[in-house]
mmCIF file of all heavy atoms in Angstrom:
data_model
loop_
_atom_site.group_PDB
_atom_site.id
_atom_site.type_symbol
_atom_site.label_atom_id
_atom_site.label_comp_id
_atom_site.label_asym_id
_atom_site.label_seq_id
_atom_site.Cartn_x
_atom_site.Cartn_y
_atom_site.Cartn_z
ATOM 1 N N LEU A 1 -2.407 -2.227 15.759
ATOM 2 C CA LEU A 1 -3.070 -0.918 16.110
ATOM 3 C C LEU A 1 -4.557 -1.126 16.552
ATOM 4 O O LEU A 1 -5.008 -0.514 17.498
ATOM 5 C CB LEU A 1 -2.979 0.060 15.007
ATOM 6 C CG LEU A 1 -1.646 0.537 14.586
ATOM 7 C CD1 LEU A 1 -1.656 1.448 13.424
ATOM 8 C CD2 LEU A 1 -0.896 1.238 15.765
ATOM 9 N N ILE A 2 -5.224 -2.046 15.829
ATOM 10 C CA ILE A 2 -6.631 -2.341 16.169
ATOM 11 C C ILE A 2 -6.680 -3.078 17.516
ATOM 12 O O ILE A 2 -7.442 -2.770 18.376
ATOM 13 C CB ILE A 2 -7.302 -3.122 15.067
ATOM 14 C CG1 ILE A 2 -7.312 -2.335 13.761
ATOM 15 C CG2 ILE A 2 -8.747 -3.521 15.467
ATOM 16 C CD1 ILE A 2 -7.769 -3.111 12.532
ATOM 17 N N ARG A 3 -5.864 -4.142 17.596
ATOM 18 C CA ARG A 3 -5.943 -4.985 18.784
ATOM 19 C C ARG A 3 -5.531 -4.235 20.060
ATOM 20 O O ARG A 3 -6.096 -4.409 21.124
ATOM 21 C CB ARG A 3 -4.986 -6.181 18.615
ATOM 22 C CG ARG A 3 -5.046 -7.214 19.708
ATOM 23 C CD ARG A 3 -4.139 -8.353 19.410
ATOM 24 N NE ARG A 3 -4.485 -9.116 18.248
ATOM 25 C CZ ARG A 3 -3.816 -9.272 17.184
ATOM 26 N NH1 ARG A 3 -2.586 -8.627 17.035
ATOM 27 N NH2 ARG A 3 -4.278 -10.022 16.159
ATOM 28 N N ASP A 4 -4.611 -3.315 19.917
ATOM 29 C CA ASP A 4 -4.099 -2.554 21.107
ATOM 30 C C ASP A 4 -4.915 -1.303 21.342
ATOM 31 O O ASP A 4 -4.451 -0.456 22.166
ATOM 32 C CB ASP A 4 -2.610 -2.204 20.887
ATOM 33 C CG ASP A 4 -1.710 -3.433 20.961
ATOM 34 O OD1 ASP A 4 -2.214 -4.537 21.224
ATOM 35 O OD2 ASP A 4 -0.469 -3.342 20.744
ATOM 36 N N GLU A 5 -6.022 -1.127 20.677
ATOM 37 C CA GLU A 5 -6.929 0.016 20.869
ATOM 38 C C GLU A 5 -6.203 1.351 20.799
ATOM 39 O O GLU A 5 -6.255 2.197 21.682
ATOM 40 C CB GLU A 5 -7.589 -0.095 22.275
ATOM 41 C CG GLU A 5 -8.697 -1.179 22.350
ATOM 42 C CD GLU A 5 -10.015 -0.632 21.864
ATOM 43 O OE1 GLU A 5 -10.092 0.534 21.381
ATOM 44 O OE2 GLU A 5 -11.001 -1.395 21.984
ATOM 45 N N LEU A 6 -5.492 1.554 19.709
ATOM 46 C CA LEU A 6 -4.710 2.799 19.537
ATOM 47 C C LEU A 6 -5.495 3.901 18.865
ATOM 48 O O LEU A 6 -4.878 4.902 18.425
ATOM 49 C CB LEU A 6 -3.421 2.508 18.772
ATOM 50 C CG LEU A 6 -2.190 2.157 19.632
ATOM 51 C CD1 LEU A 6 -1.752 3.331 20.451
ATOM 52 C CD2 LEU A 6 -2.445 0.904 20.464
ATOM 53 N N GLY A 7 -6.765 3.728 18.735
ATOM 54 C CA GLY A 7 -7.578 4.773 18.047
ATOM 55 C C GLY A 7 -7.491 6.122 18.631
ATOM 56 O O GLY A 7 -7.382 7.170 17.944
ATOM 57 N N TYR A 8 -7.490 6.188 20.016
ATOM 58 C CA TYR A 8 -7.473 7.507 20.631
ATOM 59 C C TYR A 8 -6.175 8.221 20.388
ATOM 60 O O TYR A 8 -6.134 9.441 20.123
ATOM 61 C CB TYR A 8 -7.827 7.417 22.124
ATOM 62 C CG TYR A 8 -7.850 8.754 22.764
ATOM 63 C CD1 TYR A 8 -8.898 9.678 22.512
ATOM 64 C CD2 TYR A 8 -6.867 9.148 23.628
ATOM 65 C CE1 TYR A 8 -8.893 10.915 23.075
ATOM 66 C CE2 TYR A 8 -6.905 10.447 24.219
ATOM 67 C CZ TYR A 8 -7.929 11.307 23.927
ATOM 68 O OH TYR A 8 -7.903 12.544 24.515
ATOM 69 N N GLU A 9 -5.060 7.467 20.543
ATOM 70 C CA GLU A 9 -3.772 8.130 20.332
ATOM 71 C C GLU A 9 -3.599 8.622 18.911
ATOM 72 O O GLU A 9 -3.081 9.704 18.652
ATOM 73 C CB GLU A 9 -2.618 7.134 20.646
ATOM 74 C CG GLU A 9 -2.347 6.926 22.148
ATOM 75 C CD GLU A 9 -3.287 5.901 22.763
ATOM 76 O OE1 GLU A 9 -4.286 5.505 22.087
ATOM 77 O OE2 GLU A 9 -2.994 5.501 23.901
ATOM 78 N N LEU A 10 -4.109 7.817 17.946
ATOM 79 C CA LEU A 10 -4.017 8.255 16.547
ATOM 80 C C LEU A 10 -4.961 9.485 16.325
ATOM 81 O O LEU A 10 -4.535 10.415 15.623
ATOM 82 C CB LEU A 10 -4.477 7.138 15.630
ATOM 83 C CG LEU A 10 -4.428 7.372 14.134
ATOM 84 C CD1 LEU A 10 -3.016 7.734 13.705
ATOM 85 C CD2 LEU A 10 -4.918 6.141 13.364
ATOM 86 N N TYR A 11 -6.093 9.442 16.946
ATOM 87 C CA TYR A 11 -7.028 10.589 16.884
ATOM 88 C C TYR A 11 -6.341 11.819 17.388
ATOM 89 O O TYR A 11 -6.430 12.948 16.719
ATOM 90 C CB TYR A 11 -8.286 10.311 17.686
ATOM 91 C CG TYR A 11 -9.127 11.456 18.051
ATOM 92 C CD1 TYR A 11 -10.012 12.012 17.105
ATOM 93 C CD2 TYR A 11 -9.061 12.073 19.274
ATOM 94 C CE1 TYR A 11 -10.822 13.096 17.380
ATOM 95 C CE2 TYR A 11 -9.845 13.153 19.541
ATOM 96 C CZ TYR A 11 -10.693 13.681 18.589
ATOM 97 O OH TYR A 11 -11.447 14.769 18.906
ATOM 98 N N ARG A 12 -5.681 11.798 18.505
ATOM 99 C CA ARG A 12 -5.033 12.966 19.074
ATOM 100 C C ARG A 12 -3.938 13.486 18.075
ATOM 101 O O ARG A 12 -3.779 14.690 17.962
ATOM 102 C CB ARG A 12 -4.452 12.663 20.393
ATOM 103 C CG ARG A 12 -5.494 12.523 21.540
ATOM 104 C CD ARG A 12 -4.866 12.676 22.905
ATOM 105 N NE ARG A 12 -3.793 11.706 23.152
ATOM 106 C CZ ARG A 12 -3.060 11.570 24.251
ATOM 107 N NH1 ARG A 12 -3.272 12.444 25.216
ATOM 108 N NH2 ARG A 12 -2.159 10.638 24.383
ATOM 109 N N ALA A 13 -3.170 12.560 17.576
ATOM 110 C CA ALA A 13 -2.113 12.983 16.632
ATOM 111 C C ALA A 13 -2.684 13.645 15.399
ATOM 112 O O ALA A 13 -2.169 14.734 14.973
ATOM 113 C CB ALA A 13 -1.268 11.812 16.268
ATOM 114 N N VAL A 14 -3.694 13.052 14.848
ATOM 115 C CA VAL A 14 -4.278 13.614 13.609
ATOM 116 C C VAL A 14 -4.977 14.931 13.869
ATOM 117 O O VAL A 14 -4.822 15.897 13.103
ATOM 118 C CB VAL A 14 -5.219 12.578 13.003
ATOM 119 C CG1 VAL A 14 -6.063 13.233 11.844
ATOM 120 C CG2 VAL A 14 -4.436 11.414 12.421
ATOM 121 N N SER A 15 -5.705 15.021 14.941
ATOM 122 C CA SER A 15 -6.421 16.274 15.276
ATOM 123 C C SER A 15 -5.458 17.419 15.588
ATOM 124 O O SER A 15 -5.659 18.555 15.254
ATOM 125 C CB SER A 15 -7.359 16.034 16.483
ATOM 126 O OG SER A 15 -8.374 15.179 16.148
ATOM 127 N N GLY A 16 -4.299 17.008 16.278
ATOM 128 C CA GLY A 16 -3.275 18.024 16.468
ATOM 129 C C GLY A 16 -2.632 18.557 15.206
ATOM 130 O O GLY A 16 -2.381 19.744 15.076
ATOM 131 N N LEU A 17 -2.389 17.672 14.269
ATOM 132 C CA LEU A 17 -1.888 18.092 12.967
ATOM 133 C C LEU A 17 -2.896 19.042 12.274
ATOM 134 O O LEU A 17 -2.494 20.082 11.729
ATOM 135 C CB LEU A 17 -1.648 16.861 12.090
ATOM 136 C CG LEU A 17 -1.302 17.139 10.613
ATOM 137 C CD1 LEU A 17 0.174 17.598 10.551
ATOM 138 C CD2 LEU A 17 -1.536 15.969 9.746
ATOM 139 N N LYS A 18 -4.184 18.684 12.276
ATOM 140 C CA LYS A 18 -5.142 19.474 11.614
ATOM 141 C C LYS A 18 -5.209 20.853 12.248
ATOM 142 O O LYS A 18 -5.327 21.899 11.564
ATOM 143 C CB LYS A 18 -6.557 18.804 11.721
ATOM 144 C CG LYS A 18 -7.683 19.519 11.009
ATOM 145 C CD LYS A 18 -8.924 18.696 11.129
ATOM 146 C CE LYS A 18 -9.420 18.547 12.567
ATOM 147 N NZ LYS A 18 -10.699 17.808 12.665
ATOM 148 N N ALA A 19 -5.181 20.903 13.575
ATOM 149 C CA ALA A 19 -5.217 22.214 14.214
ATOM 150 C C ALA A 19 -3.953 23.058 13.858
ATOM 151 O O ALA A 19 -4.139 24.328 13.657
ATOM 152 C CB ALA A 19 -5.261 22.050 15.754
ATOM 153 N N GLU A 20 -2.772 22.460 13.811
ATOM 154 C CA GLU A 20 -1.588 23.181 13.376
ATOM 155 C C GLU A 20 -1.709 23.758 11.988
ATOM 156 O O GLU A 20 -1.252 24.876 11.706
ATOM 157 C CB GLU A 20 -0.380 22.305 13.501
ATOM 158 C CG GLU A 20 0.128 22.083 14.946
ATOM 159 C CD GLU A 20 1.518 21.454 14.909
ATOM 160 O OE1 GLU A 20 2.435 22.058 14.359
ATOM 161 O OE2 GLU A 20 1.669 20.352 15.539
ATOM 162 N N LEU A 21 -2.321 23.002 11.090
ATOM 163 C CA LEU A 21 -2.454 23.453 9.731
ATOM 164 C C LEU A 21 -3.427 24.644 9.596
ATOM 165 O O LEU A 21 -3.500 25.240 8.492
ATOM 166 C CB LEU A 21 -2.906 22.302 8.812
ATOM 167 C CG LEU A 21 -1.792 21.189 8.603
ATOM 168 C CD1 LEU A 21 -2.435 20.064 7.781
ATOM 169 C CD2 LEU A 21 -0.637 21.798 7.899
ATOM 170 N N SER A 22 -4.185 24.954 10.663
ATOM 171 C CA SER A 22 -5.051 26.090 10.612
ATOM 172 C C SER A 22 -4.298 27.357 10.718
ATOM 173 O O SER A 22 -4.805 28.432 10.364
ATOM 174 C CB SER A 22 -6.133 25.999 11.716
ATOM 175 O OG SER A 22 -7.024 24.955 11.459
ATOM 176 N N HIS A 23 -3.040 27.290 11.216
ATOM 177 C CA HIS A 23 -2.277 28.565 11.349
ATOM 178 C C HIS A 23 -0.818 28.424 10.820
ATOM 179 O O HIS A 23 -0.042 29.363 10.978
ATOM 180 C CB HIS A 23 -2.241 29.013 12.810
ATOM 181 C CG HIS A 23 -1.709 28.003 13.760
ATOM 182 N ND1 HIS A 23 -0.382 27.700 13.926
ATOM 183 C CD2 HIS A 23 -2.363 27.180 14.633
ATOM 184 C CE1 HIS A 23 -0.224 26.764 14.807
ATOM 185 N NE2 HIS A 23 -1.417 26.398 15.310
ATOM 186 N N ALA A 24 -0.525 27.275 10.244
ATOM 187 C CA ALA A 24 0.864 27.053 9.681
ATOM 188 C C ALA A 24 0.737 26.445 8.269
ATOM 189 O O ALA A 24 -0.217 25.804 7.978
ATOM 190 C CB ALA A 24 1.625 26.156 10.583
ATOM 191 N N GLU A 25 1.750 26.767 7.442
ATOM 192 C CA GLU A 25 1.719 26.218 6.096
ATOM 193 C C GLU A 25 2.043 24.701 6.045
ATOM 194 O O GLU A 25 1.796 24.074 4.990
ATOM 195 C CB GLU A 25 2.706 26.962 5.252
ATOM 196 C CG GLU A 25 2.299 28.455 4.960
ATOM 197 C CD GLU A 25 0.895 28.521 4.273
ATOM 198 O OE1 GLU A 25 0.651 27.713 3.385
ATOM 199 O OE2 GLU A 25 0.126 29.372 4.632
ATOM 200 N N SER A 26 2.667 24.206 7.110
ATOM 201 C CA SER A 26 2.964 22.722 7.155
ATOM 202 C C SER A 26 3.069 22.349 8.626
ATOM 203 O O SER A 26 3.246 23.162 9.491
ATOM 204 C CB SER A 26 4.241 22.368 6.382
ATOM 205 O OG SER A 26 5.348 22.982 7.053
ATOM 206 N N ALA A 27 2.950 21.079 8.857
ATOM 207 C CA ALA A 27 3.007 20.455 10.237
ATOM 208 C C ALA A 27 3.401 19.067 10.087
ATOM 209 O O ALA A 27 3.323 18.455 9.020
ATOM 210 C CB ALA A 27 1.632 20.602 10.962
ATOM 211 N N VAL A 28 3.908 18.502 11.217
ATOM 212 C CA VAL A 28 4.441 17.123 11.201
ATOM 213 C C VAL A 28 3.470 16.245 11.961
ATOM 214 O O VAL A 28 3.086 16.549 13.112
ATOM 215 C CB VAL A 28 5.875 17.091 11.865
ATOM 216 C CG1 VAL A 28 6.356 15.654 11.881
ATOM 217 C CG2 VAL A 28 6.800 17.995 11.069
ATOM 218 N N LEU A 29 3.124 15.101 11.319
ATOM 219 C CA LEU A 29 2.312 14.125 12.001
ATOM 220 C C LEU A 29 3.315 13.107 12.698
ATOM 221 O O LEU A 29 4.111 12.425 12.049
ATOM 222 C CB LEU A 29 1.444 13.342 10.994
ATOM 223 C CG LEU A 29 0.635 12.153 11.578
ATOM 224 C CD1 LEU A 29 -0.374 12.685 12.611
ATOM 225 C CD2 LEU A 29 -0.107 11.346 10.509
ATOM 226 N N HIS A 30 3.232 13.083 14.064
ATOM 227 C CA HIS A 30 4.040 12.163 14.820
ATOM 228 C C HIS A 30 3.078 11.082 15.418
ATOM 229 O O HIS A 30 2.127 11.404 16.093
ATOM 230 C CB HIS A 30 4.709 12.908 16.019
ATOM 231 C CG HIS A 30 5.786 13.881 15.630
ATOM 232 N ND1 HIS A 30 7.084 13.440 15.396
ATOM 233 C CD2 HIS A 30 5.749 15.198 15.470
ATOM 234 C CE1 HIS A 30 7.804 14.496 15.128
ATOM 235 N NE2 HIS A 30 7.023 15.555 15.150
ATOM 236 N N PHE A 31 3.450 9.882 15.141
ATOM 237 C CA PHE A 31 2.692 8.742 15.770
ATOM 238 C C PHE A 31 3.597 7.506 15.846
ATOM 239 O O PHE A 31 4.188 7.162 14.817
ATOM 240 C CB PHE A 31 1.416 8.414 14.947
ATOM 241 C CG PHE A 31 0.617 7.293 15.570
ATOM 242 C CD1 PHE A 31 -0.208 7.519 16.672
ATOM 243 C CD2 PHE A 31 0.728 6.032 15.107
ATOM 244 C CE1 PHE A 31 -0.929 6.541 17.265
ATOM 245 C CE2 PHE A 31 -0.050 4.974 15.652
ATOM 246 C CZ PHE A 31 -0.812 5.215 16.720
ATOM 247 N N THR A 32 3.704 6.947 17.036
ATOM 248 C CA THR A 32 4.599 5.803 17.237
ATOM 249 C C THR A 32 3.896 4.756 18.066
ATOM 250 O O THR A 32 3.265 5.093 19.110
ATOM 251 C CB THR A 32 5.912 6.191 17.880
ATOM 252 O OG1 THR A 32 6.534 7.208 17.095
ATOM 253 C CG2 THR A 32 6.879 4.977 18.045
#
């Protein structure tokens, strides 16, 4: 993950989860 510079993709997935939790009781973190 470090070598392949996957920080931005992980950032998008985590930020998307956080945003969903602002209006939902649960959300799914997807990252592959």
